[in-house]
Amino acid sequence: MSSIEYRSLSGQSPQTDFRTAVLRGLAPDKSLYFPTEIPKISADFWKALPGLSPVEIGLELMAPLVAGSLENSALQQILNDTLSFDFPLVAVGEHCYSLELFHGPTMAFKDVGARFMAGCLEEFNRGAQKKTTVLVATSGDTGGAVARGFLGVEGVEVVILYPRDKVSDIQERQLTTLGKNIKALRVEGDFDACQHMVKEVFLDPELSALTLTSANSINVARWMPQLLYYVLAYRSYLKMYNKSQANSRNELPEPVFSVPSGNFGNICAGILAHKMGLPAAHFVAATNSNDTVPRYLATGKYVPHKTQPTISNAMDVSDPSNWVRINELFHGDLEAVREKISAFRFTDAQTRQAMQEVAKASGYICDPHGAVGFLGLQAALKAKEITLTASTPGIFLETAHPIKFRPEVEKTLGINLEIPPQISAVMKGKKEFDSIDTYGQLREFLLTSS
Ligand SMILES: *Cc1c(COP(=O)(O)O)cnc(C)c1O
C-alpha cells in the first residue's frame, strides 16, 4: 500500500506523514492538513459490509489513511477502544431513521474522534521524554469528550478552556471533575475568546519550547475517524434492507444523510466516506441561525456574521473551520458542492416545534441538535423532490443525548428525563478549575504547569 501523506491546504508547508500531522494539529503555515489522496474502497467491500465487525470495517477504512504511522496491531487496539459502544439506527417514521451517536462515555458524537486521537497520541508518545500538552477550547461538548478520551493517557496533559456561564452544568462537570492529567480553565469571556487564546498560544514564540497540539476538529486524528459511523449506519441499514428484500438485487441503497452542523467537521467526514465509496444519494447540512454556509450555497458569497447564541449551542459557529476541507473534497467546484450538499438554517422556534412534532408523531425524543438535523432532512426532501423509499432512506444524525440539554428538552416537551449512568457519575464529582481572563494568565499557567 503506498502511504498517503498530508498536505497543508494553503500549500505553504511541506507534506508530512499522519503522525506529524496529528502531533502538530495545524500545519506550520496555520492552515489545515488534508490527505494527498482519497483512498478508494472496492465495491465488494460495501456489499460485504453486513458480515463485517465494526473493528474490521475500521481497519479497512482507516489503515490507508494512517499507513506508515501506525502498525495494524496498534490501529486495531485504538479502534477497539474507539468503537466500544453502539451506534444504533432507530426508526422515527417511514424510511426515516435517527443515527444515535450518543452512547459513548460523554454522550456526544465527539467521543469517537476524541478517543481515536487520544489513542494515536498515546502510541506516538510511547517512550518520549517530553510530555505533550493538548490544548482545546470548548463551547460545551468537545471539552468533555476530550477530557474523557485523554484521561490517564501517559505523557499527555490536557488543558481545556471554557467560557464562564456559557456551558451547561452537566457539561461543566464533565470537564472539571476528572482530575489527573486534565486541567480546566474557566475563561471570563465567550467561546470566541477561548478559541482566540488557543490560537495565540500556537503563535507565541515564548511558548515554542513546549510540545503543544490541539484537539479541535482541525486535527486529522479527530476529524477523519468520524467517517466510521456513517459506514456503520449504512451497515445497519443494509442488514435491514437485505432481510426485507430477501432477494439478490445487485443495486445498493443510497441514503440521504442530514447532519446538524457547526464547525462542519462531522459532515465533512461523511463526505470523505462517500468519496471513499460509501453510497449516499445526498447530504444535508442543517444549521441553526448561524447560517454562513446556507447563505454561501445560495449566493456564492462566504460572509460570516457575528455568532448568535441558540438552543443548539454546540453549533453556534459562524466561520466553520472545516468548510475549506469540504471545498477541497469537491476541488473547489461550487456547482459540484451544490449537487451533493443542500444547506438549510432553522430558528430556535422551528427547532422546538420539530422536537414537539417528532415526539407526538413517533414518541422519539430529539435533543435540539438532532431536531435541526431532522428539519434539514424534511427541507431537503421538499426542495430536491426526493421521496424516501427502502432504497433511499433518510438518516439524520442525533449528535447528543437529550439529557445534555436537559432544561430545554424538559421544558419544550413537558417531560422529565431519566438520568443515564454516565451522567449521574459526574454529578457526584467536585468541580475544580482555575479562572483566567487574560492571555498573559494562560501563558503563565502553561509555563508553570509544564
Ligand atoms: C459539535 C457538535 C455539533 C456540530 O458538529 P460539527 O462537526 O462542529 O459540525 C453538533 N451537535 C452536537 C451535539 C455537537 O456537540
Side-chain angles (χ1 to χ4, degrees):
M1 182 189 317
S2 71
S3 80
I4 289 172
E5 296 257 288
Y6 288 79
R7 62 189 166 89
S8 93
L9 278 181
S10 71
Q12 309 293 309
S13 304
Q15 274 176 213
T16 183
D17 58 5
F18 176 74
R19 180 179 192 277
T20 308
V22 173
L23 290 172
R24 286 201 184 127
L26 275 179
D29 62 17
K30 306 297 164 209
S31 72
L32 274 65
Y33 277 115
F34 192 82
T36 47
E37 190 191 319
I38 308 295
K40 279 273 179 248
I41 310 295
S42 74
D44 290 344
F45 168 82
W46 302 106
K47 284 187 199 160
L49 217 46
L52 301 177
S53 74
V55 172
E56 285 170 331
I57 293 167
L59 275 171
E60 179 84 16
L61 295 167
M62 296 306 293
L65 292 166
V66 305
S69 294
L70 283 176
E71 299 287 337
N72 259 10
S73 56
L75 176 60
Q76 178 156 2
Q77 204 174 344
I78 294 169
L79 288 166
N80 276 335
D81 189 43
T82 303
L83 302 174
S84 60
F85 43 90
D86 287 338
F87 301 88
L89 196 58
V90 179
V92 292
E94 235 198 320
H95 308 303
C96 177
Y97 300 86
S98 164
L99 172 59
E100 294 186 347
L101 301 177
F102 56 67
H103 295 275
T106 72
M107 313 207 89
F109 76 93
K110 294 187 174 83
D111 281 325
V112 173
R115 287 162 84 87
F116 190 89
M117 181 179 163
C120 290
L121 275 194
E122 183 164 36
E123 188 61 30
F124 297 156
N125 270 342
R126 220 176 275 285
Q129 298 302 311
K130 263 176 80 178
K131 90 181 159 188
T132 297
T133 302
V134 172
L135 208 54
V136 64
T138 184
S139 58
D141 282 339
T142 302
V146 167
R148 192 47 210 263
F150 283 84
L151 181 65
V153 171
E154 292 272 331
V156 178
E157 180 169 277
V158 176
V159 178
I160 301 167
L161 280 73
Y162 71 98
R164 178 177 181 165
D165 298 336
K166 297 215 166 48
V167 302
S168 74
D169 179 57
I170 289 174
Q171 287 173 329
E172 185 175 33
R173 285 176 191 279
Q174 288 182 323
L175 328 168
T176 55
T177 59
L178 294 174
K180 291 195 186 153
N181 59 331
I182 312 297
K183 304 270 157 38
L185 295 179
R186 191 178 75 179
V187 176
E188 293 294 333
D190 58 12
F191 171 65
D192 287 310
C194 298
Q195 200 162 28
H196 193 78
M197 284 190 190
V198 168
K199 283 191 182 144
E200 226 169 312
V201 168
F202 287 94
L203 299 171
D204 189 339
E206 282 190 45
L207 296 177
S208 60
L210 304 183
T211 310
L212 289 163
T213 191
S214 147
N216 286 96
S217 59
I218 52 173
N219 195 304
V220 288
R222 244 209 70 199
W223 165 55
M224 296 192 308
Q226 301 180 133
L227 69 87
L228 295 174
Y229 44 71
Y230 290 85
V231 178
L232 294 178
Y234 187 64
R235 167 179 173 264
S236 304
Y237 187 72
L238 270 187
K239 283 189 181 184
M240 290 185 236
Y241 180 81
N242 290 346
K243 227 184 257 165
S244 70
Q245 301 284 303
N247 66 23
S248 55
R249 286 219 326 249
N250 245 349
E251 78 200 71
L252 291 170
E254 298 216 334
V256 178
F257 287 101
S258 178
V259 188
S261 296
N263 237 340
F264 282 67
N266 198 6
I267 189 170
C268 186
I271 295 163
L272 176 61
H274 177 57
K275 298 281 178 185
M276 290 168 77
L278 173 70
H282 201 65
F283 284 89
V284 186
T287 74
N288 57 31
S289 37
N290 297 290
D291 61 350
T292 306
V293 169
R295 283 186 289 109
Y296 173 63
L297 290 193
T299 64
K301 295 200 178 76
Y302 187 90
V303 189
H305 291 166
K306 192 171 156 23
T307 308
Q308 312 236 350
T310 72
I311 59 169
S312 47
N313 63 16
M315 310 198 296
D316 292 351
V317 180
S318 59
D319 187 6
S321 37
N322 283 287
W323 184 256
V324 286
R325 284 187 173 136
I326 294 185
N327 195 39
E328 193 65 23
L329 283 166
F330 292 92
H331 311 289
D333 178 349
L334 181 57
E335 272 322 300
V337 174
R338 286 174 172 145
E339 274 290 297
K340 202 71 210 178
I341 309 176
S342 301
F344 301 95
R345 59 101 68 171
F346 302 96
T347 62
D348 282 352
Q350 288 171 307
T351 305
R352 290 192 177 104
Q353 200 183 349
M355 288 163 71
Q356 288 162 350
E357 280 172 12
V358 172
K360 194 160 167 231
S362 65
Y364 190 77
I365 298 171
C366 285
D367 96 290
H369 304 76
V372 170
F374 173 84
L375 283 166
L377 183 60
Q378 304 309 316
L381 297 179
K382 245 193 231 163
K384 284 264 165 192
E385 301 190 344
I386 303 172
T387 309
L388 296 186
T389 65
S391 57
T392 312
I395 298 175
F396 66 93
L397 276 55
E398 184 37 289
T399 46
H401 191 287
I403 196 75
K404 296 200 78 174
F405 303 93
R406 186 181 183 188
E408 182 59 44
V409 173
E410 292 191 338
K411 197 168 80 198
T412 300
L413 298 180
I415 55 170
N416 287 317
L417 292 171
E418 260 177 57
I419 300 189
Q422 288 102 313
I423 301 298
S424 45
V426 292
M427 297 306 277
K428 296 186 200 104
K430 184 175 174 308
K431 293 185 191 176
E432 290 190 42
F433 53 82
D434 283 12
S435 294
I436 61 168
D437 53 0
T438 65
Y439 176 69
Q441 289 172 314
L442 172 60
R443 177 202 277 147
E444 193 57 35
F445 179 87
L446 292 172
L447 286 172
T448 51
S449 76
S450 59

